[in-house]
Structure formats: C-alpha cells, structure tokens
Amino acid sequence: EIVLTQSPGTLSLSPGERATLSCRASQSVSSNYLAWYQQRPGQAPRLLIYGASSRATGIPDRFSGSGSVTDFTLTISRLEPEDFAVYYCQQYGDSPRTFGLGTKVEIK
Amino acid sequence: EVHLVESGGGLVQPGGSLRLSCAASGFTFRSYGMNWVRQAPGKGLEWVSFISSSSDVIYYADSVKGRFTISRDNARNSLFLQMNSLRDDDSAVYYCARDQPGSCYYFDYWGQGTLLTVSS
C-alpha cells in the first residue's frame, strides 16, 4: 500500500502568515489522485482539495494544492483563526486508500 | 444540504459485536458509493470499508476483513456496519463518508461520527 508521509508534524504560525504543508508518497500516486482534508478539534474531516489541486465546493481560495507523482503541497496563503487545525492528505489512486498521519497547524 | 448521521456506537467487551448505522439525507443516496472511516483517539484516519451504490462491489481494509460487514438499504437511505469479534484496537470514532459516483475516490461529505469503545 502507498504510505503517505506528512511534514512537518506541527507547524507553529501566526494569523496572517503563510502555511506550507508537505505530503510525500512512498510510490507514484496514479493520476495525481490526492486529496487534502481539514479537521478542527471535535469535528469531522472536511474535504479541501481533490485531484491534487482542485478546490472542493465552498473552500476559500486561500487554500491551494500543488504537486505531482510523489510530492504534494497544501498552501494556505494567509492563515485565518479558523484555519488552525489538523490537515490530512489522502491518496485514492491505489487500493487501499490511505491517509497521512496529519500536520497540526497551531497558533504561535 | 447533504447530511450524514451515524448512530449505534457504545461500550463493548472484547469479542463482542455491534452494528453501526448511518442515516443519509439531502442527496440521491442510491447513486453514491459509501464508506466507513475510523479514527482512534488522538490518532489519524483509517479507511475501513466501501460499498458501491448497488452493493455489488464491497471492499474492506485488511485490519477488519472477515470480522466486519458493510451493507446498505437504498430504500431507507441507510448505511450499516456490522462489527463482530471486536478487539481493543477497534476502539475509534467511526465516520460514514460519501464517495464519488461510480468510483472509489475521495470523501466529499462526512458525518459527525459515532464512538466505539472496546474494553473489558
């Protein structure tokens, strides 16, 4: 199965700063089938990005995804207070579908 | 508006059984594949099982194969997970999550989850 490694484990930033989150796959992700989710404390995950770079419905344009093959990035251009959360990447190009362990974005 | 509501979680002894349910509304349930995804306390997400829109395709994670059974009732807009031979490491919040029409892709809507605790 494809193992997704997310880095860093924790990112300490201030509101208004730029966040760059990495997701590296142990093998090529077919057709760049990679998604990103946000999970706030006590809430269910929310889809942010699919197909490595397409924003889901209702997701603000400060969220952007990029990358291909094995290296993918989620960028939050300017952090809002509600963006402090845990972010997971997930690949759906191979079975079984797998998630990374997450990156926590915390307030500095 | 898409709405998924899980129920049925609780405290079960190791070796026991439990059935989870997920009530769906706000979309044409019979047109979408559905999944169960779980999250152990303080841990990451783990996909558990998938069922196609017409129940003809079913997948399980290796960790639950042979112990869990996914099913659905399109007439009642409901998804189920029958869990047998439960182990301590099955303890988690279980989410139902909607897939994309016709494929196993990403999960665009999630319920709020139901907590299963396996403990003696």
Side-chain angles (χ1 to χ4, degrees):
Chain A
E1 71 178 44
I2 295 179
V3 175
L4 300 177
T5 302
Q6 292 189 242
S7 61
T10 302
L11 198 51
S12 298
L13 295 168
S14 300
E17 289 195 293
R18 182 185 188 90
T20 303
L21 288 65
S22 172
C23 176
R24 179 162 291 177
S26 60
Q27 55 190 277
S28 178
V29 177
S30 172
S31 301
N32 293 332
Y33 282 166
L34 189 107
W36 290 93
Y37 301 86
Q38 175 194 67
Q39 188 176 32
R40 295 171 178 149
Q43 294 189 16
R46 176 173 73 141
L47 176 68
L48 299 175
I49 301 286
Y50 62 93
S53 60
S54 297
R55 266 188 304 277
T57 303
I59 301 304
D61 60 7
R62 65 179 181 273
F63 290 93
S64 63
S66 62
S68 62
V69 189
T70 59
D71 289 290
F72 299 89
T73 300
L74 175 70
T75 302
I76 310 171
S77 59
R78 286 177 56 86
L79 283 164
E80 298 287 341
E82 62 269 26
D83 298 337
F84 291 91
V86 179
Y87 293 84
Y88 294 95
C89 58
Q90 176 237 332
Q91 66 80 23
Y92 50 99
D94 187 43
S95 180
R97 289 177 278 183
T98 51
F99 293 88
L101 293 180
T103 290
K104 181 180 182 180
V105 179
E106 66 175 23
I107 299 177
K108 187 174 182 180
Chain B
E1 181 185 0
V2 173
H3 217 51
L4 299 169
V5 180
E6 302 91 339
S7 61
L11 175 63
V12 181
Q13 291 190 335
S17 298
L18 205 65
R19 189 194 198 206
L20 305 182
S21 300
C22 172
S25 60
F27 66 104
T28 306
F29 181 73
R30 64 179 180 273
S31 297
Y32 288 81
M34 296 294 296
N35 299 268
W36 289 98
V37 178
R38 69 184 179 182
Q39 185 171 35
K43 301 297 184 182
L45 300 164
E46 179 188 18
W47 168 80
V48 172
S49 184
F50 163 84
I51 186 168
S52 64
S53 57
S54 57
S55 304
D56 57 341
V57 178
I58 288 176
Y59 300 124
Y60 297 100
D62 286 346
S63 57
V64 307
K65 201 172 294 183
R67 300 186 299 121
F68 290 12
T69 302
I70 192 171
S71 62
R72 64 190 295 161
D73 183 338
N74 286 345
R76 291 165 54 197
N77 291 341
S78 295
L79 175 72
F80 306 100
L81 187 67
Q82 177 66 43
M83 303 181 294
N84 299 329
S85 303
L86 284 164
R87 310 188 303 220
D88 290 355
D89 61 359
D90 293 318
S91 295
V93 173
Y94 284 74
Y95 297 101
C96 67
R98 194 179 81 166
D99 218 301
Q100 300 310 295
S103 296
C104 301
Y105 282 165
Y106 48 90
F107 313 110
D108 62 353
Y109 288 95
W110 300 62
Q112 283 303 302
T114 187
L115 177 63
L116 167 68
T117 302
V118 183
S119 175
S120 54

